[in-house]
Amino acid sequence: MIKKIFLFVMCLGVVSAALAQLNNKVQNKPYIDLRPFHYGFSIGLHQQSLIMPNSGYIDPETGRQWFVSNDKFDPGFSVGLIGEWRINRTLAFRLLPSLHFVNKHITFREKTTGLTEYQDMKSTLVSIPLNLKISAPRHNNYRPYIVTGFNASYDLTSKSQENIATKPLSFAFELGFGCDYYFPFFKCCPELKFSFGINDVLDTNRSKLNDKSKEIFTKAVKEAHTTMVVLTLHFE
């Protein structure tokens, strides 16, 4: 009986070793992650929105009360560069200067009359995220990871004569995840990242506004914070 059990364990070990060998594949670009610096580029799609809680302001002259919402989300296009500094086998810092082409649709609705107005907020954002990348051990030709960090963005096309205006400079906290896929000649990294605005971007100083009647729309909003979801393909 002991001999049979020993023989069975030996066979089981041989089969397990054989299956492990079959599961292992030839690694593409086996030394790419050992480089102290990585460079590349990225392309992607994103969706940005404004979180705007209403203040409940009522115009003392007309008695009108406006409600503001970002009720339509148009996908935007993103392009950028990648600079990655390897700290150790698990950690790396990433600097990703990017350009985002954004369009947000704002609806203004008056409570009593039902009068509705619309505004399209088109923006071109220069974004500089600084992220910490935390990677799992590599298995064959893929390696999952998570990223976290902060982002500073500047709007190149902010307009001062619209119903609602935003400050050009914004800051955000970022959190996301992705996976490195290793190919024979390059590495591709699909990544999904969420960005949460930290500072209030509502521009309450409307001194340059020609039509002063539009100030009521700014007063109808308590504050404004940006949020963004970005789906990106990084190539290194």
Side-chain angles (χ1 to χ4, degrees), residues 58-72:
I58 300 176
D59 189 350
E61 296 182 1
T62 63
R64 290 183 173 181
Q65 184 179 15
W66 290 88
F67 291 92
V68 185
S69 63
N70 184 186
D71 60 348
K72 184 179 179 181

Side-chain angles (χ1 to χ4, degrees), residues 10-25:
M10 289 292 294
C11 292
L12 185 61
V14 172
V15 172
S16 299
L19 291 175
Q21 291 295 325
L22 290 174
N23 190 39
N24 291 331
K25 297 180 180 179

Side-chain angles (χ1 to χ4, degrees), residues 52 164-167 200-205 218 221-224:
M52 297 181 293
I164 291 286
T166 55
K167 300 173 184 177
D200 181 7
V201 296
L202 179 67
D203 187 0
T204 56
N205 182 12
T218 301
V221 179
K222 184 178 180 180
E223 59 186 5

Side-chain angles (χ1 to χ4, degrees), residues 140-161:
N140 292 332
N141 287 314
Y142 64 89
R143 189 182 190 188
Y145 65 86
I146 60 174
V147 290
T148 185
F150 294 93
N151 179 14
S153 299
Y154 191 87
D155 188 356
L156 300 175
T157 57
S158 58
K159 299 178 181 179
S160 60
Q161 300 302 318

Side-chain angles (χ1 to χ4, degrees), residues 54-218:
N54 290 270
S55 66
Y57 176 79
I58 300 176
D59 189 350
E61 296 182 1
T62 63
R64 290 183 173 181
Q65 184 179 15
W66 290 88
F67 291 92
V68 185
S69 63
N70 184 186
D71 60 348
K72 184 179 179 181
F73 307 99
D74 297 324
F77 180 70
S78 305
V79 293
L81 300 175
I82 305 169
E84 182 176 307
W85 173 45
R86 179 180 180 270
I87 302 174
N88 53 39
R89 297 182 63 181
T90 304
L91 303 177
F93 275 118
R94 266 186 170 182
L95 186 65
L96 303 108
S98 306
L99 196 63
H100 302 289
F101 301 96
V102 184
N103 185 33
K104 299 181 288 291
H105 187 267
I106 311 298
T107 298
F108 307 87
R109 184 172 290 105
E110 207 282 315
K111 180 181 179 180
T112 305
T113 63
L115 183 65
T116 305
E117 294 194 21
Y118 303 97
Q119 176 183 341
D120 283 325
M121 298 182 68
K122 295 183 178 180
S123 306
T124 302
L125 299 178
V126 176
S127 175
I128 306 179
L130 179 61
N131 292 161
L132 176 66
K133 179 181 178 183
I134 307 171
S135 302
R138 176 174 175 173
H139 179 70
N140 292 332
N141 287 314
Y142 64 89
R143 189 182 190 188
Y145 65 86
I146 60 174
V147 290
T148 185
F150 294 93
N151 179 14
S153 299
Y154 191 87
D155 188 356
L156 300 175
T157 57
S158 58
K159 299 178 181 179
S160 60
Q161 300 302 318
E162 300 289 349
N163 293 347
I164 291 286
T166 55
K167 300 173 184 177
L169 186 61
S170 62
F171 300 94
F173 168 74
E174 296 189 325
L175 181 65
F177 58 91
C179 188
D180 293 335
Y181 288 94
Y182 301 82
F183 294 92
F185 301 105
F186 64 93
K187 183 171 70 171
C188 178
C189 318
E191 179 181 290
L192 182 64
K193 188 162 59 175
F194 303 89
S195 179
F196 307 95
I198 299 173
N199 63 314
D200 181 7
V201 296
L202 179 67
D203 187 0
T204 56
N205 182 12
R206 308 305 306 275
S207 58
K208 296 182 180 179
L209 191 63
N210 296 328
D211 186 358
K212 295 301 181 180
S213 65
K214 292 184 177 180
E215 290 183 349
I216 190 175
F217 299 114
T218 301

